[in-house]
Amino acid sequence: MRATLYLSAGNVVVDDVPDASLSEPTDAVVRVVRAAVCGSDLWSYRGIINRAERSRLGHEFIGVVEEVGDEVRTVRPGDLVVAPFQWSDNTCPACLDGIQSSCEKGGTFGAPGTDGGQGEAVRVPWADGTLMAVPGGTDGAGESLYAALLSASDVMGTGLHGAVLAGVTEGSTVAVIGDGAVGLCAVLGAKAVLGADRIILMSRHPDRAAVGKSFGATDVIAERGDEGIAAVRELTGGLGVRHVVEAVGTPESWSMAVGMAREGGSIGAVGVPHTAPTLPLFQPLIHHLSLNLGIAPVRRYLPDLISRITAGTLDPGPVFDTVLPLEDVARGYAAMAARESIKIMLTMS
């Protein structure tokens, strides 16, 4: 089968790899119909973190179940399924607490020794605890929903989790730092799922700001750093916002989050800090800020997200502004790295 492989910074290729196959009785093999390039994939593409040469890439995919192990009960061959970017058994203490991203038997697709989502097929460990079947399968969902369902595998669940961690509820005012796919989905989650009233999106890219507005952003601020903080405070009568979603993970974005939060505010952080920001604790301490952060347990949100998507009440699909065949994945990486595209969706031949 064909899959995306990492060669070196700035260099990814599609090449032949061994076919995905069952290894454990709890496995399933999923034929991928749509995959995505994630912003976190760009960290190795840009040379910020190291990956082994010819390691698999990708952790966002939807597909059709081809084969299941003898112990799999919840999905069957022919089912259209959404796979969260991490697998989990959904029975361990962490999973039962709704933190499937901390499953004691879990892992991430594309990690060493695993199949990546940017390929023609994937072996899915712990299929019962990981995969969610889409009602009606390929006939009921149809290709028109594929983009929205694909977003649920990571960015929609991650953005929503950021808003949940920030304590967003009905009528809230929230600021979202980050106008990538996760930040944009945080806007959508805050508005369409949690009922926020005012959403301030920090964005200086017109194409991304346009998607953010269509998702529910009421205000867009282009300034960054101290100027961005001042602009948010001006919009809120000098108070700042009670809820902040941090969807970047850099020292600069964390500084902005702390600076624009009002007294007693909450920051929900889902931006992965690859650059290891140092967080000064004095300001959060004296301003009584609640800091909640964590890798999103997307599996926890999938039942609700899939239900909303198939019912037509939630459509995160517009975060995908470029569609390419798998063979052109290198062009997709380059476009996202250059900020010429928000997010790439890959199709399989």
Side-chain angles (χ1 to χ4, degrees), residues 2-4 30-38 41 57-63 81 83 109 116-122 146-151 153-155 319-327 329 332-333 336 343-349:
R2 306 282 283 171
T4 304
V30 174
R31 173 175 56 83
V32 176
V33 296
R34 295 290 188 275
V37 179
C38 183
D41 294 328
L57 289 168
H59 50 261
E60 300 165 284
F61 64 95
I62 63 173
V81 292
F109 296 104
Q118 294 166 21
E120 292 177 330
V122 175
Y146 281 5
L149 292 169
L150 178 59
S151 74
S153 70
D154 184 347
V155 292
V319 295
F320 294 103
D321 58 347
T322 306
V323 181
L324 296 170
L326 176 64
E327 295 295 333
V329 67
Y333 271 81
M336 282 185 62
K343 192 167 180 65
I344 304 293
M345 181 165 65
L346 301 171
T347 62
M348 308 297 147
S349 56

Side-chain angles (χ1 to χ4, degrees), residues 1 19 117 134 150 184 190 201 229 272-273 286 309 340 344 349:
M1 71 179 197
D19 289 344
V134 178
L150 178 59
L184 295 174
L201 173 63
I229 294 170
V272 179
I286 63 174
I309 289 169
E340 295 171 355
I344 304 293
S349 56

Side-chain angles (χ1 to χ4, degrees), residues 29 60 65 69 72 90 106 114 126 135 142 160 179 193 198 220 222 241 252 289 295 326 329:
V29 172
E60 300 165 284
V65 176
V72 176
N90 217 21
T114 70
W126 300 107
L160 175 59
D179 61 357
V193 179
R198 189 177 191 184
V220 175
V241 290
E252 294 79 12
L289 302 183
I295 302 298
L326 176 64
V329 67

Side-chain angles (χ1 to χ4, degrees), residues 9 16-17 35 55 57 72 87 91 100 203 207 215 268 312 317 325 327 342:
D16 292 325
V17 298
S55 58
L57 289 168
V72 176
W87 67 79
T91 62
Q100 289 91 339
S203 174
D207 56 338
F215 280 178
E327 295 295 333
I342 302 172

Side-chain angles (χ1 to χ4, degrees), residues 1 50 57 66 139 155 189 222 234-235 254 284 298 308-309 327:
M1 71 179 197
N50 295 319
L57 289 168
E66 294 272 278
D139 293 332
V155 292
E234 183 177 354
L235 280 178
W254 263 103
V298 169
R308 291 172 185 267
I309 289 169
E327 295 295 333

Side-chain angles (χ1 to χ4, degrees), residues 41-61:
D41 294 328
L42 299 180
W43 291 103
S44 56
Y45 185 80
R46 290 171 171 153
I48 297 172
I49 62 173
N50 295 319
R51 290 186 69 103
E53 184 177 353
R54 293 186 66 81
S55 58
R56 308 283 185 87
L57 289 168
H59 50 261
E60 300 165 284
F61 64 95

Side-chain angles (χ1 to χ4, degrees), residues 35-308:
V37 179
C38 183
S40 62
D41 294 328
L42 299 180
W43 291 103
S44 56
Y45 185 80
R46 290 171 171 153
I48 297 172
I49 62 173
N50 295 319
R51 290 186 69 103
E53 184 177 353
R54 293 186 66 81
S55 58
R56 308 283 185 87
L57 289 168
H59 50 261
E60 300 165 284
F61 64 95
I62 63 173
V64 176
V65 176
E66 294 272 278
E67 189 178 4
V68 297
D70 291 341
E71 295 181 14
V72 176
R73 298 290 181 266
T74 62
V75 295
R76 290 288 179 264
D79 285 349
L80 175 66
V81 292
V82 179
F85 65 90
Q86 293 179 310
W87 67 79
S88 58
D89 66 7
N90 217 21
T91 62
C92 76
C95 288
L96 294 178
D97 285 341
I99 315 174
Q100 289 91 339
S101 50
S102 294
C103 177
E104 62 188 30
K105 297 177 181 177
T108 303
F109 296 104
T114 70
D115 294 327
Q118 294 166 21
E120 292 177 330
V122 175
R123 179 182 76 87
V124 178
W126 300 107
D128 281 340
T130 302
L131 298 173
M132 281 295 302
V134 178
T138 54
D139 293 332
E143 292 192 13
S144 64
L145 293 183
Y146 281 5
L149 292 169
L150 178 59
S151 74
S153 70
D154 184 347
V155 292
M156 185 61 230
T158 298
L160 175 59
H161 187 58
V164 170
L165 290 177
V168 175
T169 57
E170 190 81 25
S172 292
T173 295
V174 55
V176 176
I177 301 173
D179 61 357
V182 170
L184 295 174
C185 286
V187 171
L188 183 59
K191 179 65 175 180
V193 179
L194 301 177
D197 183 55
R198 189 177 191 184
I199 303 171
I200 304 167
L201 173 63
M202 311 302 291
S203 174
R204 59 182 183 183
H205 301 95
D207 56 338
R208 297 163 186 250
V211 175
K213 288 180 179 179
S214 74
F215 280 178
T218 54
D219 305 270
V220 175
I221 292 177
E223 291 82 4
R224 293 192 176 182
D226 290 340
E227 292 182 352
I229 294 170
V232 170
R233 289 192 170 272
E234 183 177 354
L235 280 178
T236 55
L239 291 175
V241 290
R242 187 174 297 280
H243 312 281
V244 183
V245 178
E246 194 289 307
V248 182
T250 64
E252 294 79 12
S253 61
W254 263 103
S255 178
M256 288 180 64
V258 172
M260 67 178 61
R262 65 178 292 177
E263 300 295 322
S266 298
I267 298 172
V270 287
V272 179
H274 289 293
T275 52
T278 299
L279 178 63
L281 292 178
F282 185 68
Q283 292 300 318
L285 175 69
I286 63 174
H287 294 297
H288 293 265
L289 302 183
S290 298
L291 309 181
N292 302 295
L293 57 160
I295 302 298
V298 169
R299 179 60 177 77
R300 164 178 154 191
Y301 298 106
L302 275 185
D304 181 55
L305 292 178
I306 292 173
S307 177
R308 291 172 185 267

